[in-house]
Amino acid sequence: MNTTTSATHSKATILNPRDTYCRGDQLDILLEMRDHLGHRKQYGGDFLRARMSSPALMAGASGKVTDFNNGTYLVSFTLFWEGQVSLSLLLIHPSEGVSALWSARNQGYDRVIFIGHFINGTSQVHSECGLVLNTNAELCQYLDNRDQEAFYCVRPQHMPCAALTHMHSENKKVSYLSKQEKSLFERSNVGVEIMEKFNTISVSKCNKETVAKKEKCKVGMTSTIPSGHVWRNTWNPVSCSLATVKMKECLRGKLIYLMGDSTIRQWMEYFKASINTLKSVDLHESGKLQHQLAVDLDRNINIQWQKHCYPLVGSMTYSVKEMEYLTRAIDRTGGEKNTVIVISLGQHFRPFPIDVFIRRALNVHKAIKRLLLRSPDTMVIIKTENIREMYNDAERFSDFHGYIQYLIIKDIFQDLSVSIIDAWDITIAYGTNDVHPPQHVVGNQINILLNYIC
């Protein structure tokens, strides 16, 4: 423990400090990591989060962290606005915690188990299910042959495999962390501030030239790090400008497919709350994870939300009767210029080995490629993960797992003409730390989509 990275012993130094800074300047900080005994660290890999903010101005942005792999880091902030700016640099996990999480993640599939509900006539049976089951019992195999996606249940006696109707999941008391490693993830050791003693930075307008007008945000623009900043609670991208779009008019004649987890279901709920003429269609399912459809007949707006297939983690029971892999849903979509598909994958994959997520992302990539061949004018958007609560259950749900998946998504989809809504960077800038961020944050994510559409 003594040789793990210590936030309190580490040293942050502003490079070329000044009394006042100008808006648009870059502020660089050299970070030298030390352990609890005060010794310099000789290797990198710490999971850090840099953020600057001015709460009075409702402003925030992420900072860029460069790891030199020798215990030193460069943290760069772009000073987007004028005023008093506070800097924050959190040691989310020390490098030793990161490597413990990484090896633990890839060791097993049983930190979360699934309980399948089989119904045949009047009898109902529960049975253990999962992506991988270590058992000699006879199994029901639910296989997508083409995409090599599989899910299994222990076959109940006197029940056909097709009688599986519902599912829920449970956390199992399983851990691949040693007792010592676990202590790295106690609350006091997660998300510790390195720059506590720092004064606020004064940023002035200075006599700079007028800022060049940015072009309007559109599909296919490359994203930067940071990708933007929050000002007066509104998201402002770096590389383009967002207009305020009238949602009802923008969505006229549009068919919007929202596919994925509950963070994209939040979009569905936001649309329903914002468009008073949008009516929900009862699809005769129950529970929160049901398929959702809402239409505005006058404006011909059609918005649907569909959950992704296994692994879908949730203690509430959900129907699996019409559950399908997103690749199959994308393949069923004709697509054309008024069709918009938004996909969000990630949170439910965090407790499982990384190959599960990589395989799924690659299969979705192939399905989108097929879609864009037959209907090149279909708009496809990938929404990355939100950051989430910092202190709960790091082994299953740490943002470190999410960050790896975020990098994978950006890597896999870079060769397709799809747009990425960088919810990761946006939620860091807002400082939400909530898997389901507040409505105004969701609204700003959706505003990017509206700018892409209209």
Side-chain angles (χ1 to χ4, degrees), residues 44 80 131 200 215 287 295 300 368 388 450:
F80 289 110
L131 295 154
T200 54
E215 60 173 318
V295 295
N300 190 19
I368 292 171
R388 64 180 300 154
L450 297 177

Coordinates of all heavy atoms in Angstrom, one line a residue, residues 44 80 131 200 215 287 295 300 368 388 450:
G44 N 3.9 5.1 -15.1 CA 2.6 5.8 -15.2 C 1.4 4.9 -15.0 O 1.5 3.9 -14.3
F80 N -11.2 28.7 -21.6 CA -12.3 29.0 -22.6 C -13.0 30.3 -22.2 O -13.6 30.9 -23.1 CB -13.3 27.9 -22.7 CG -12.8 26.6 -23.3 CD1 -12.5 25.5 -22.6 CD2 -12.6 26.6 -24.7 CE1 -12.1 24.3 -23.3 CE2 -12.1 25.5 -25.4 CZ -11.9 24.3 -24.6
L131 N -23.4 -15.2 -19.8 CA -22.6 -15.2 -21.1 C -21.7 -16.5 -21.1 O -21.4 -17.0 -22.2 CB -21.8 -14.0 -21.1 CG -22.5 -12.7 -21.2 CD1 -21.7 -11.5 -20.7 CD2 -22.9 -12.4 -22.7
T200 N -7.4 30.0 -7.2 CA -8.1 30.1 -8.4 C -7.3 30.9 -9.4 O -6.4 31.7 -9.0 CB -9.5 30.9 -8.3 OG1 -9.3 32.1 -7.6 CG2 -10.5 30.0 -7.4
E215 N -17.8 27.3 -38.1 CA -18.9 26.8 -38.9 C -19.9 26.0 -38.0 O -19.6 25.5 -37.0 CB -18.4 26.0 -40.1 CG -17.6 24.8 -39.7 CD -17.2 23.9 -40.9 OE1 -18.1 23.8 -41.8 OE2 -16.1 23.5 -41.0
G287 N -43.0 -2.7 -17.2 CA -41.7 -2.5 -16.7 C -40.9 -1.4 -17.4 O -41.3 -1.0 -18.5
V295 N -45.3 8.9 -31.1 CA -45.5 9.5 -32.4 C -46.3 10.8 -32.3 O -47.0 11.1 -31.3 CB -46.4 8.5 -33.3 CG1 -45.6 7.3 -33.6 CG2 -47.7 8.2 -32.6
N300 N -45.8 13.9 -38.3 CA -45.1 12.7 -38.8 C -43.8 12.5 -38.1 O -42.8 12.2 -38.8 CB -45.0 12.7 -40.3 CG -44.6 11.4 -40.9 OD1 -44.8 10.4 -40.2 ND2 -44.0 11.4 -42.1
I368 N -23.7 -1.4 -39.3 CA -23.8 0.0 -39.7 C -23.2 0.1 -41.1 O -23.8 0.8 -42.0 CB -23.1 1.0 -38.8 CG1 -23.9 1.0 -37.4 CG2 -23.1 2.4 -39.4 CD1 -23.2 1.8 -36.3
R388 N -20.0 8.1 -14.3 CA -21.0 7.7 -13.3 C -20.6 8.0 -11.9 O -19.5 8.6 -11.7 CB -21.5 6.3 -13.5 CG -20.5 5.2 -13.3 CD -21.1 3.8 -13.5 NE -22.2 3.5 -12.7 CZ -23.1 2.7 -12.9 NH1 -23.1 2.0 -14.1 NH2 -24.1 2.4 -12.1
L450 N -29.8 17.5 -32.7 CA -30.8 18.3 -33.5 C -30.0 19.2 -34.5 O -30.4 19.4 -35.6 CB -31.6 19.2 -32.5 CG -32.5 18.5 -31.6 CD1 -33.2 19.5 -30.7 CD2 -33.5 17.7 -32.3

